[in-house]
Amino acid sequence: YDRSKKTLFLMEGLVMYIPPMAVDEMLSFIVNNSAKGSEVLFDYFIQSVVDGTSGTEKNMRDFAAQQGEPFLFGIEDGAAEVFLKERGFSRVQNVTSDDYKNAYFCGANKDRAVCNLLSFVHAVVE
């Protein structure tokens, strides 16, 4: 790893399974040890999926917990930009399931089911 070179940190399928403090530590490492222009990209659940208050994803939450991989981290709905800016990132782009369904599932795929639980976020180290 070369701290002087721009780096893409891809954390796909990761953050929802680790404690919030560990997510903060990873994001802090990226901001404090990466060249300007480095980027982070990860998928996440909104907090109500993680804590069960949404009520619609109980089976998935229960299954993950039974497998020994409970959901531990989520971001409040609509708060991804603030969450990452508070941790030193800029140019935050949040992509919800509606966003990626509208962008990529059209034509013959317009009626294809898309998981509405995951959102993606991209941010830059300035």
Side-chain angles (χ1 to χ4, degrees), residues 13 16 19 23-25 29 33 38 50 52 66 71 78 101 105 120:
M16 63 279 291
V23 174
D24 278 338
E25 289 171 357
F29 174 86
N33 295 285
S38 291
V50 174
Q66 289 169 0
F71 300 151
K101 180 167 176 76
F105 294 85
F120 296 84

Side-chain angles (χ1 to χ4, degrees), residues 6-8 34-40 91 122-126:
K6 287 194 284 187
T7 303
L8 171 62
S34 302
K36 300 288 185 217
S38 291
E39 302 168 75
V40 64
R91 294 189 275 163
H122 170 264
V124 178
V125 175
E126 294 291 344

Side-chain angles (χ1 to χ4, degrees), residues 22-81:
V23 174
D24 278 338
E25 289 171 357
M26 284 191 309
L27 295 175
S28 177
F29 174 86
I30 293 168
V31 166
N32 294 313
N33 295 285
S34 302
K36 300 288 185 217
S38 291
E39 302 168 75
V40 64
L41 177 65
F42 62 89
D43 55 350
Y44 69 94
F45 294 133
I46 59 172
Q47 184 60 38
S48 62
V49 171
V50 174
D51 63 26
T53 58
S54 68
T56 59
E57 295 79 22
K58 183 177 179 351
N59 290 340
M60 191 171 92
R61 284 183 52 254
D62 290 350
F63 179 77
Q66 289 169 0
Q67 300 306 306
E69 296 183 357
F71 300 151
L72 300 174
F73 173 81
I75 299 175
E76 292 295 332
D77 193 15
E81 184 173 359

Side-chain angles (χ1 to χ4, degrees), residues 109-121:
N109 291 312
K110 71 180 171 109
D111 295 324
R112 186 174 215 151
V114 173
C115 177
N116 64 352
L117 303 178
L118 283 173
S119 293
F120 296 84
V121 68

